[in-house]
Amino acid sequence: MLRVLEGEAVSPPPVWLMRQAGRYLPEYRALRAKAGSFLDLCYTPSFATEVTLQPIRRFGFDASILFSDILVVPHALGLHLEYREGEGPVLQTVRTAQEVAALKTDRIEQQLAPVYETVANLAQQLPRETTLIGFAGAPWTVAAYMVEGRGGTDHENLIGWAWKDPQGFAALIGVLVDATARHLIAQIKAGAEVVQIFDSWSGAAPAALFQRWCVEPVAEIVRRVHAAAPGTPVIGFPRAGGSHIQNFAALTNVSAVGIDQFTSLEWARRQVPVTTALQGNLDPLLLEAGGPSLDIEIERILTAMAGAPHIFNLGHGIRQHTPIEHVTQLVERIRKGRGRGT
Ligand code: CP3
């Protein structure tokens, strides 16, 4: 994984899955029930460590992503946060300059100390060959939850604010750039070897706003991460970023770009420098469906990325009803012919 992030083509490629710890695993559901709430799971280092390790034990992925959530950052900024069954996260909204000014910007490291303790546990417990990934949400996506209060809306409040009052909106994004950079740097100091920035809602940004609110904030975070932790690779994931991938790769200085299932890998490969890795593209619905189509698609992705730095992954998080055998089938198929750990 680290070699690929340095721009090397490695065959077969390393593999991990977004949301690899989660509800498709019975051992996750059992621990989730024991923890009580999702946030208790995130903030109790022994639980979060165990949940992170579950998919590594089962599948031997090449990378392990910290178990946490992108919304712990706005939570640490002082906003009320709840995860409702069947509804997802519900966050206290921020829609005015006064509400931005009231955010508690100076306590990220203190509030999120349990997360860094989890990272430190993982750095100790993971097999050496398993790369430890820390993460955060991109400012635009986290702002989407802060302004809308929940996911899955048409983002009219978010986009409306960005158009109407760019200066006020810049204050919100500025708070998030700072908090996110600090959160990522603290994870690296605790032992994360790579960090990923999830911009799940970048596809909702109008083209005219993409540069200002999806590229520049991530570029600034990468600058700060590299200033504090030189050489730490950053993976950017501008989901549904479509035609903006070239600019994103050129201007953010990320080592890898995550590609959703809606974007052609062959096309994406031509948009980024040859040493920038691509990660992703397998449709999570196909992993859930399984069967011969899954094998064919795995081969297609491997062929499309042959000779280029590539990290095998999904185009978005693994779905809750994905059969475990399909994940086993995926990992075996990618690794056929490779001795584990080489
Ligand atoms: O990838 C991993 O295994 C690490 C853990 C991780 C979670 N969330 C755990 C989680 C990561 C990297 C995330 C990122 C995240 N969280 C994103 C970006 C990636 C993406 O999916 O677009 C976003 C947008 C969130 C916010 C969030 N958290 C949503 C929208 C939801 C509800 C949707 C759902 O699947 O229920 C969550 C909850 C959440 N985060 C769960 C998990 C395992 C499910 C909680 C449960 O057990 O009920």
Side-chain angles (χ1 to χ4, degrees):
M1 172 94 165
L2 294 174
R3 279 162 57 206
V4 170
L5 289 167
E6 279 171 15
E8 204 180 310
V10 174
S11 177
V15 53
W16 70 280
L17 302 180
M18 291 187 278
R19 290 281 184 95
Q20 63 192 15
R23 285 168 299 195
Y24 73 108
L25 291 176
E27 59 270 34
Y28 170 83
R29 295 194 297 269
L31 203 62
R32 167 87 158 77
K34 196 171 144 194
S37 78
F38 175 70
L39 281 175
D40 286 332
L41 199 53
C42 288
Y43 292 136
T44 309
S46 58
F47 288 157
T49 303
E50 172 58 23
V51 169
T52 306
L53 294 173
Q54 286 172 345
I56 306 304
R57 288 194 200 108
R58 226 184 229 276
F59 307 110
F61 290 122
D62 295 291
S64 176
I65 185 161
L66 161 73
F67 186 83
S68 179
D69 200 77
I70 64 167
L71 300 181
V72 298
V73 167
H75 196 219
L77 292 171
L79 299 178
H80 182 78
L81 172 64
E82 247 179 89
Y83 290 83
R84 298 199 188 140
E85 217 44 61
E87 203 186 329
V90 179
L91 191 62
Q92 182 187 341
T93 57
V94 172
R95 293 183 179 173
T96 65
Q98 291 89 317
E99 286 165 348
V100 173
L103 293 169
K104 301 188 172 74
T105 53
D106 55 356
R107 45 174 223 176
I108 287 289
E109 291 84 356
Q110 183 193 333
Q111 290 292 308
L112 300 180
V115 176
Y116 313 133
E117 192 181 327
T118 304
V119 173
N121 288 344
L122 289 165
Q124 270 202 331
Q125 294 181 34
L126 279 167
R128 246 185 72 82
E129 66 274 17
T130 312
T131 303
L132 177 54
I133 307 174
F135 74 92
W140 172 262
T141 285
V142 175
Y145 285 94
M146 292 168 80
V147 177
E148 301 292 335
R150 59 190 65 228
T153 69
D154 60 7
H155 300 107
E156 61 176 319
N157 299 292
L158 174 78
I159 297 164
W161 190 359
W163 280 128
K164 256 187 295 209
D165 173 24
Q167 263 187 317
F169 190 69
L172 171 61
I173 295 293
V175 165
L176 288 171
V177 164
D178 189 61
T180 306
R182 282 165 56 187
H183 185 44
L184 292 174
I185 291 164
Q187 291 176 59
I188 295 164
K189 300 247 138 98
E193 299 171 274
V194 174
V195 291
Q196 174 156 331
I197 301 173
F198 288 87
D199 209 350
S200 303
W201 296 114
S202 68
L209 296 182
F210 197 93
Q211 176 84 12
R212 178 70 185 92
W213 304 121
C214 295
V215 176
E216 288 173 19
V218 171
E220 177 60 23
I221 291 167
V222 175
R223 265 194 294 279
R224 293 191 196 188
V225 165
H226 285 162
T232 305
V234 180
I235 304 171
F237 181 34
R239 190 169 78 90
S243 59
H244 302 289
I245 280 170
Q246 185 179 37
N247 247 354
F248 182 88
L251 301 178
T252 58
N253 214 15
V254 293
S255 299
V257 180
I259 305 294
D260 57 62
Q261 66 271 29
F262 308 107
T263 303
S264 149
L265 259 188
E266 290 83 353
W267 176 84
R269 212 182 138 169
R270 294 195 297 271
Q271 308 307 308
V272 305
V274 288
T275 53
T276 301
L278 295 182
Q279 166 179 285
N281 192 237
L282 184 74
D283 187 350
L285 269 171
L286 176 54
L287 185 60
E288 183 172 338
S293 312
L294 175 58
D295 287 337
I296 292 166
E297 181 65 0
I298 293 167
E299 290 306 326
R300 186 199 63 80
I301 289 174
L302 292 172
T303 305
M305 289 306 295
H310 174 213
I311 299 162
F312 209 103
N313 206 319
L314 298 168
H316 199 194
I318 188 167
R319 294 167 57 86
Q320 182 176 358
H321 299 294
T322 303
I324 285 167
E325 316 79 72
H326 296 180
V327 180
T328 314
Q329 176 192 349
L330 170 82
V331 173
E332 281 175 1
R333 187 86 192 183
I334 294 166
R335 288 186 179 154
K336 66 179 184 331
R338 177 175 79 164
R340 277 286 315 285
T342 57

